[in-house]
Amino acid sequence: MGDRDRGIDVREAARAFGDEGGLNPLTERQLGDVDRLTGGRKPLPYPRRADGAGCDPDHLVRALYHDVYNRRDLSAVDRAYAPNVRWYGPTNRTGYGRADVRGMARALLATFPDLGHQVDEVYWMGNEADGYRVSVRWTAVGTHRGHALYGRPTGRRVHLWGLTQLYLSQGRITEEWTLFNEFDVLARLLCDDPPDGFV
């Protein structure tokens, strides 16, 4: 049963939550901003591995997120994901194949054109023969200047934080499950009268 089946209008609930003050912004939780640009230049590619042998889940994930979200290099999706990847995201979004993975990344980048992304932690288990299970905790910050995901741009700055679970086989991502604080993001974007320092 979805939220609409229960009679809940998610956008109105988020607006009410934001008007009531919502959650504390991440900056009040002692977490710093994500720096995408240093000195106004496009970030350099993520460094290649020195040994280049086998699959290194930590390196693969950090390179993927850096190249896609900080460098805007969507070809990194083709290098990291299997052609038949299954993708599951927030708000019951699902996808199949690299094009759908690129589509969600493109939507986030279009919604928050100055988005900066940072991988905070990577945990993994597994091996080359059986594959890997990888958990990623990440944060991002951006300004709502595009129409793609959340309607008319508000110009409000938001912090995103999320968790992603990846399954790798033969060095490629075959399945992804991602969740982030989307309701909190909506609350910040839709609230009528944000508190000082909220935008």
Side-chain angles (χ1 to χ4, degrees):
M1 183 181 253
D3 293 330
R4 290 182 190 240
D5 297 330
R6 293 184 185 98
I8 297 171
D9 182 329
V10 174
R11 294 179 69 81
E12 283 307 312
R15 181 187 314 278
F17 183 67
D19 288 345
E20 293 168 6
L23 296 173
N24 292 333
L26 280 179
T27 51
E28 292 180 13
R29 297 182 198 158
Q30 308 304 318
L31 296 176
D33 263 356
V34 178
D35 293 324
R36 187 178 81 78
L37 297 176
T38 303
R41 291 186 292 267
K42 184 176 182 176
L44 294 172
Y46 198 78
R48 293 185 184 269
R49 289 177 50 206
D51 62 7
C55 179
D56 178 349
D58 186 272
H59 186 273
L60 182 144
V61 167
R62 290 179 189 277
L64 170 68
Y65 281 77
H66 175 75
D67 289 344
V68 168
Y69 292 105
N70 294 333
R71 297 197 74 240
R72 310 316 199 232
D73 177 6
L74 295 178
S75 69
V77 169
D78 293 337
R79 293 189 297 273
Y81 288 84
N84 61 343
V85 61
R86 289 241 177 238
W87 178 85
Y88 303 90
T91 321
N92 296 320
R93 293 183 184 100
T94 61
Y96 178 79
R98 293 172 178 159
D100 286 348
V101 174
R102 280 191 304 272
M104 184 59 188
R106 193 175 288 117
L108 274 173
L109 293 170
T111 303
F112 306 107
D114 62 345
L115 186 76
H117 194 285
Q118 172 176 298
V119 172
D120 300 313
E121 293 181 289
V122 178
Y123 297 99
W124 59 270
M125 59 187 281
N127 56 55
E128 292 276 339
D130 300 324
Y132 297 93
R133 294 173 185 239
V134 184
S135 295
V136 186
R137 185 174 61 82
W138 54 267
T139 52
V141 63
T143 309
H144 185 215
R145 294 188 176 133
H147 291 268
L149 289 176
Y150 304 116
R152 201 180 77 175
T154 62
R156 294 180 177 156
R157 196 156 175 81
V158 297
H159 287 84
L160 295 87
W161 49 268
L163 298 169
T164 299
Q165 181 73 35
L166 302 168
Y167 297 91
L168 279 70
S169 178
Q170 298 178 351
R172 294 283 179 96
I173 300 167
T174 58
E175 191 172 337
E176 174 181 329
W177 294 77
T178 293
L179 292 175
F180 65 89
N181 62 325
E182 190 169 37
F183 187 78
D184 186 38
V185 169
L186 276 173
R188 294 184 196 294
L189 298 179
L190 298 175
C191 64
D192 294 316
D193 189 22
D196 290 339
F198 215 42
V199 293

